[in-house]
Amino acid sequence: MSNYQTLLYYCYSHIENAEQFAVDHLEFCKSLNLVGRIIVADEGLNGTVSGRPEDCKSYMEAIHADERFAKTEFKIDEVEELSFIKMHCRYKPEIVHSGLRDPKEIDPNIQTGIHLEPKDFMEMKDRDDVVILDVRSNYEHNVGRFKNAVTLDIENFREFPEKIKELEQYKGKKVLTYCTGGIKCEKASALLLKEGFEDVYQLHGGIIKYGKEAGGKDFEGECYVFDNRVTVDVNSVNPSIISTCKNCGTISSKMINCANALCNEHFTQCDACGWEMNGCCSDACKAQPNNREYDGTGYYVKVPQPVNLDKISKRKHKNFPPKAEVEA
């Protein structure tokens, strides 16, 4: 048995006074010695937490005991080290930023794509009347994606609504959407249905569940995750690596952030180039005088920034609830 577990989960369920819930939930997580990142919004929860198996078990039991979150499905990974350094739980307007002026335009509890279990997704994905759609960002699908998947040139999911017009050619097909754990597909498939796509599906539990229940067959590369592991293997059937080093083109799945904090580009870089470039993406960044010290990981702990009281005041005047001090 591994020393720790990492839990990935989400639940679309209305939370009254969600901002206070976030404050209370943070203290609850800390009482269980968990570390991780949880986003709380009026529409629900989106989280990844890590801790000892007994503490993770207590957390899952508490979540399921709350009738608002009883349907929550946890993806559980056995890990040798904690996947986070600290525990963060923050209130935001949405648990996944949709990019819509009015996020209430879509509600996954009312309309969303048909959920496909991993084995059903695997059986359908290669049919002639099917298109597989990756709804994740560039840095995610560059390091791993399903064979023959359609990918979108987006830096963040909030850009997805603007890209739907590029998918018009697939309106006559069954569209199978997928993402890391399923949460983005809930909104992506709802948006597709809203725009006139008729046969829209989503991979239930995302790539992570597909790896556990279907062996990850035909998922090329590795799956990007939003914790200290950065990427994880999901394909035990026909694994491969598809990403290449930005600097030399060598096959590599290692992703880092540029040591130049003003750049901070998230990219693939092999170990050799990492040391040669001091963890920078380019010679221009390497030449900067105040770069972060590269230790071979390319992972840098965020330094909390001072609270901007003027910014908070302006948000209040616009009737936006204040966000937590540190971005998730």
Side-chain angles (χ1 to χ4, degrees):
M1 187 175 185
S2 299
N3 294 325
Y4 304 100
Q5 291 180 335
T6 295
L7 313 177
L8 175 69
Y9 71 97
Y10 70 88
C11 182
Y12 282 99
S13 179
H14 182 70
I15 302 175
E16 291 288 345
N17 197 5
E19 194 169 357
Q20 182 61 47
F21 178 92
V23 174
D24 297 338
H25 200 65
L26 174 61
E27 293 307 310
F28 173 64
C29 291
K30 286 182 175 180
S31 75
L32 292 177
N33 301 307
L34 297 176
V35 291
R37 184 182 296 116
I38 301 172
I39 297 173
V40 177
D42 297 346
E43 65 182 2
L45 299 174
N46 174 15
T48 307
V49 297
S50 190
R52 296 177 302 178
E54 58 269 29
D55 295 329
C56 288
K57 182 174 183 290
S58 296
Y59 182 76
M60 290 187 285
E61 288 175 346
I63 290 294
H64 285 149
D66 189 321
E67 63 180 11
R68 294 171 295 181
F69 315 126
K71 64 182 180 180
T72 303
E73 182 175 312
F74 289 91
K75 275 76 75 175
I76 306 172
D77 278 345
E78 304 292 331
V79 295
E80 294 303 322
E81 298 179 350
L82 291 170
S83 299
F84 294 88
I85 296 174
K86 297 180 179 180
M87 185 69 232
H88 299 292
C89 184
R90 302 184 176 95
Y91 175 83
K92 292 193 174 185
E94 298 176 82
I95 54 177
V96 171
H97 193 340
S98 66
L100 298 174
R101 183 170 298 178
D102 180 8
K104 294 180 181 179
E105 287 182 37
I106 55 172
D107 183 349
N109 287 313
I110 297 175
Q111 184 181 45
T112 190
I114 298 170
H115 288 68
L116 290 175
E117 293 303 320
K119 290 183 178 179
D120 297 322
F121 182 92
M122 181 171 61
E123 189 274 328
M124 283 185 65
K125 67 182 180 62
D126 295 323
R127 295 182 184 177
D128 292 338
D129 62 341
V130 163
V131 60
I132 308 171
L133 177 62
D134 191 319
V135 303
R136 301 172 303 153
S137 305
N138 290 334
Y139 62 88
E140 296 175 83
H141 62 66
N142 282 343
V143 77
R145 56 187 178 271
F146 277 103
K147 181 180 179 181
N148 299 324
V150 172
T151 58
L152 299 172
D153 182 15
I154 57 176
E155 294 300 321
N156 296 283
F157 182 71
R158 60 177 173 267
E159 299 172 30
F160 180 81
E162 300 173 3
K163 294 290 183 177
I164 291 180
K165 58 181 176 292
E166 297 179 9
L167 303 173
E168 288 286 325
Q169 59 186 305
Y170 304 118
K171 274 194 170 180
K173 290 181 175 286
K174 293 179 173 64
V175 180
L176 276 54
T177 66
Y178 74 88
C179 59
T180 306
I183 186 170
K184 292 178 181 176
C185 288
E186 300 281 6
K187 289 192 173 182
S189 60
L191 284 164
L192 289 169
L193 289 166
K194 185 174 180 292
E195 293 300 319
F197 289 78
E198 296 182 353
D199 290 328
V200 182
Y201 303 78
Q202 58 182 281
L203 174 56
H204 182 211
I207 301 163
I208 299 299
K209 185 175 181 180
Y210 183 83
K212 296 179 183 300
E213 297 186 8
K217 184 177 183 292
D218 292 334
F219 186 83
E220 300 177 326
E222 297 187 355
C223 179
Y224 186 93
V225 290
F226 295 86
D227 58 57
N228 293 1
R229 295 172 296 169
V230 186
T231 64
V232 296
D233 295 321
V234 295
N235 189 335
S236 59
V237 179
N238 53 350
S240 62
I241 298 177
I242 62 170
S243 51
T244 59
C245 175
K246 177 183 177 75
N247 303 106
C248 72
T250 301
I251 294 291
S252 175
S253 61
K254 182 179 180 180
M255 294 193 71
I256 73 167
N257 284 95
C258 181
N260 176 9
L262 295 177
C263 171
N264 205 45
E265 180 179 346
H266 202 35
F267 67 104
T268 304
Q269 187 177 63
C270 68
D271 284 326
C273 287
W275 292 111
E276 173 66 24
M277 299 294 295
N278 293 331
C280 291
C281 67
S282 65
D283 289 330
C285 282
K286 183 180 178 181
Q288 296 303 305
N290 298 314
N291 287 339
R292 296 173 288 197
E293 184 177 354
Y294 179 68
D295 64 359
T297 66
Y299 178 81
Y300 307 98
V301 178
K302 289 183 178 179
V303 177
Q305 299 298 310
V307 178
N308 188 329
L309 296 178
D310 289 338
K311 190 173 182 181
I312 291 175
S313 177
K314 289 177 182 178
R315 274 204 305 265
K316 286 181 177 178
H317 283 107
K318 290 181 179 179
N319 295 319
F320 287 131
K323 296 181 182 178
E325 296 177 5
V326 185
E327 186 180 354

mmCIF file of all heavy atoms in Angstrom, residues 33-50:
data_model
loop_
_atom_site.group_PDB
_atom_site.id
_atom_site.type_symbol
_atom_site.label_atom_id
_atom_site.label_comp_id
_atom_site.label_asym_id
_atom_site.label_seq_id
_atom_site.Cartn_x
_atom_site.Cartn_y
_atom_site.Cartn_z
ATOM 1 N N ASN A 33 -5.353 17.072 7.906
ATOM 2 C CA ASN A 33 -3.952 17.061 7.436
ATOM 3 C C ASN A 33 -3.845 16.868 5.921
ATOM 4 O O ASN A 33 -2.860 16.304 5.428
ATOM 5 C CB ASN A 33 -3.148 15.963 8.146
ATOM 6 C CG ASN A 33 -3.132 16.144 9.654
ATOM 7 O OD1 ASN A 33 -2.788 17.214 10.142
ATOM 8 N ND2 ASN A 33 -3.527 15.105 10.381
ATOM 9 N N LEU A 34 -4.856 17.338 5.188
ATOM 10 C CA LEU A 34 -4.825 17.226 3.734
ATOM 11 C C LEU A 34 -4.093 18.419 3.130
ATOM 12 O O LEU A 34 -4.064 19.509 3.707
ATOM 13 C CB LEU A 34 -6.242 17.168 3.171
ATOM 14 C CG LEU A 34 -7.107 15.984 3.587
ATOM 15 C CD1 LEU A 34 -8.507 16.144 3.011
ATOM 16 C CD2 LEU A 34 -6.493 14.664 3.135
ATOM 17 N N VAL A 35 -3.524 18.202 1.959
ATOM 18 C CA VAL A 35 -2.991 19.294 1.149
ATOM 19 C C VAL A 35 -3.662 19.209 -0.212
ATOM 20 O O VAL A 35 -4.104 18.137 -0.631
ATOM 21 C CB VAL A 35 -1.448 19.211 1.003
ATOM 22 C CG1 VAL A 35 -0.770 19.500 2.322
ATOM 23 C CG2 VAL A 35 -1.007 17.833 0.478
ATOM 24 N N GLY A 36 -3.740 20.328 -0.909
ATOM 25 C CA GLY A 36 -4.375 20.275 -2.220
ATOM 26 C C GLY A 36 -4.919 21.610 -2.653
ATOM 27 O O GLY A 36 -4.562 22.666 -2.113
ATOM 28 N N ARG A 37 -5.804 21.551 -3.628
ATOM 29 C CA ARG A 37 -6.380 22.766 -4.213
ATOM 30 C C ARG A 37 -7.849 22.505 -4.506
ATOM 31 O O ARG A 37 -8.185 21.601 -5.273
ATOM 32 C CB ARG A 37 -5.648 23.140 -5.498
ATOM 33 C CG ARG A 37 -6.100 24.444 -6.132
ATOM 34 C CD ARG A 37 -5.362 24.734 -7.428
ATOM 35 N NE ARG A 37 -3.936 24.930 -7.209
ATOM 36 C CZ ARG A 37 -2.993 24.135 -7.690
ATOM 37 N NH1 ARG A 37 -3.317 23.081 -8.398
ATOM 38 N NH2 ARG A 37 -1.724 24.394 -7.448
ATOM 39 N N ILE A 38 -8.720 23.293 -3.895
ATOM 40 C CA ILE A 38 -10.169 23.153 -4.085
ATOM 41 C C ILE A 38 -10.742 24.495 -4.515
ATOM 42 O O ILE A 38 -10.415 25.531 -3.924
ATOM 43 C CB ILE A 38 -10.874 22.681 -2.800
ATOM 44 C CG1 ILE A 38 -10.315 21.324 -2.343
ATOM 45 C CG2 ILE A 38 -12.382 22.579 -3.014
ATOM 46 C CD1 ILE A 38 -10.831 20.888 -0.974
ATOM 47 N N ILE A 39 -11.558 24.473 -5.541
ATOM 48 C CA ILE A 39 -12.297 25.661 -5.965
ATOM 49 C C ILE A 39 -13.749 25.473 -5.557
ATOM 50 O O ILE A 39 -14.354 24.434 -5.837
ATOM 51 C CB ILE A 39 -12.191 25.872 -7.488
ATOM 52 C CG1 ILE A 39 -10.735 26.124 -7.894
ATOM 53 C CG2 ILE A 39 -13.055 27.055 -7.921
ATOM 54 C CD1 ILE A 39 -10.523 26.182 -9.387
ATOM 55 N N VAL A 40 -14.282 26.480 -4.898
ATOM 56 C CA VAL A 40 -15.679 26.477 -4.472
ATOM 57 C C VAL A 40 -16.401 27.597 -5.203
ATOM 58 O O VAL A 40 -15.889 28.709 -5.306
ATOM 59 C CB VAL A 40 -15.803 26.689 -2.949
ATOM 60 C CG1 VAL A 40 -17.271 26.749 -2.531
ATOM 61 C CG2 VAL A 40 -15.070 25.590 -2.186
ATOM 62 N N ALA A 41 -17.571 27.303 -5.728
ATOM 63 C CA ALA A 41 -18.400 28.312 -6.382
ATOM 64 C C ALA A 41 -19.853 28.042 -6.031
ATOM 65 O O ALA A 41 -20.179 26.999 -5.454
ATOM 66 C CB ALA A 41 -18.203 28.282 -7.896
ATOM 67 N N ASP A 42 -20.717 28.978 -6.388
ATOM 68 C CA ASP A 42 -22.142 28.750 -6.147
ATOM 69 C C ASP A 42 -22.617 27.467 -6.813
ATOM 70 O O ASP A 42 -23.553 26.827 -6.353
ATOM 71 C CB ASP A 42 -22.959 29.929 -6.685
ATOM 72 C CG ASP A 42 -22.636 31.233 -5.971
ATOM 73 O OD1 ASP A 42 -21.986 31.181 -4.908
ATOM 74 O OD2 ASP A 42 -23.021 32.296 -6.486
ATOM 75 N N GLU A 43 -21.950 27.092 -7.922
ATOM 76 C CA GLU A 43 -22.376 25.937 -8.703
ATOM 77 C C GLU A 43 -21.785 24.615 -8.229
ATOM 78 O O GLU A 43 -22.139 23.562 -8.749
ATOM 79 C CB GLU A 43 -22.024 26.133 -10.180
ATOM 80 C CG GLU A 43 -20.536 26.197 -10.453
ATOM 81 C CD GLU A 43 -20.217 26.438 -11.919
ATOM 82 O OE1 GLU A 43 -21.164 26.591 -12.720
ATOM 83 O OE2 GLU A 43 -19.025 26.455 -12.277
ATOM 84 N N GLY A 44 -20.838 24.619 -7.256
ATOM 85 C CA GLY A 44 -20.321 23.352 -6.777
ATOM 86 C C GLY A 44 -18.873 23.355 -6.353
ATOM 87 O O GLY A 44 -18.304 24.390 -5.998
ATOM 88 N N LEU A 45 -18.258 22.162 -6.414
ATOM 89 C CA LEU A 45 -16.883 21.932 -5.966
ATOM 90 C C LEU A 45 -16.028 21.363 -7.085
ATOM 91 O O LEU A 45 -16.502 20.570 -7.904
ATOM 92 C CB LEU A 45 -16.853 20.926 -4.809
ATOM 93 C CG LEU A 45 -17.574 21.249 -3.513
ATOM 94 C CD1 LEU A 45 -17.517 20.043 -2.572
ATOM 95 C CD2 LEU A 45 -16.962 22.464 -2.852
ATOM 96 N N ASN A 46 -14.753 21.729 -7.082
ATOM 97 C CA ASN A 46 -13.771 21.172 -8.017
ATOM 98 C C ASN A 46 -12.464 21.051 -7.242
ATOM 99 O O ASN A 46 -11.881 22.058 -6.843
ATOM 100 C CB ASN A 46 -13.603 22.092 -9.224
ATOM 101 C CG ASN A 46 -12.494 21.628 -10.155
ATOM 102 O OD1 ASN A 46 -12.016 20.498 -10.075
ATOM 103 N ND2 ASN A 46 -12.078 22.497 -11.058
ATOM 104 N N GLY A 47 -12.012 19.818 -6.998
ATOM 105 C CA GLY A 47 -10.851 19.695 -6.138
ATOM 106 C C GLY A 47 -9.903 18.549 -6.449
ATOM 107 O O GLY A 47 -10.273 17.566 -7.094
ATOM 108 N N THR A 48 -8.686 18.722 -5.991
ATOM 109 C CA THR A 48 -7.687 17.661 -5.926
ATOM 110 C C THR A 48 -7.030 17.790 -4.566
ATOM 111 O O THR A 48 -6.489 18.851 -4.236
ATOM 112 C CB THR A 48 -6.612 17.793 -7.018
ATOM 113 O OG1 THR A 48 -7.236 17.909 -8.300
ATOM 114 C CG2 THR A 48 -5.707 16.571 -7.021
ATOM 115 N N VAL A 49 -7.097 16.741 -3.763
ATOM 116 C CA VAL A 49 -6.479 16.767 -2.440
ATOM 117 C C VAL A 49 -5.618 15.524 -2.265
ATOM 118 O O VAL A 49 -5.824 14.502 -2.929
ATOM 119 C CB VAL A 49 -7.532 16.841 -1.303
ATOM 120 C CG1 VAL A 49 -8.322 18.135 -1.390
ATOM 121 C CG2 VAL A 49 -8.465 15.639 -1.329
ATOM 122 N N SER A 50 -4.664 15.631 -1.357
ATOM 123 C CA SER A 50 -3.722 14.544 -1.146
ATOM 124 C C SER A 50 -3.462 14.384 0.345
ATOM 125 O O SER A 50 -3.391 15.379 1.078
ATOM 126 C CB SER A 50 -2.417 14.840 -1.900
ATOM 127 O OG SER A 50 -1.553 13.731 -1.927
#
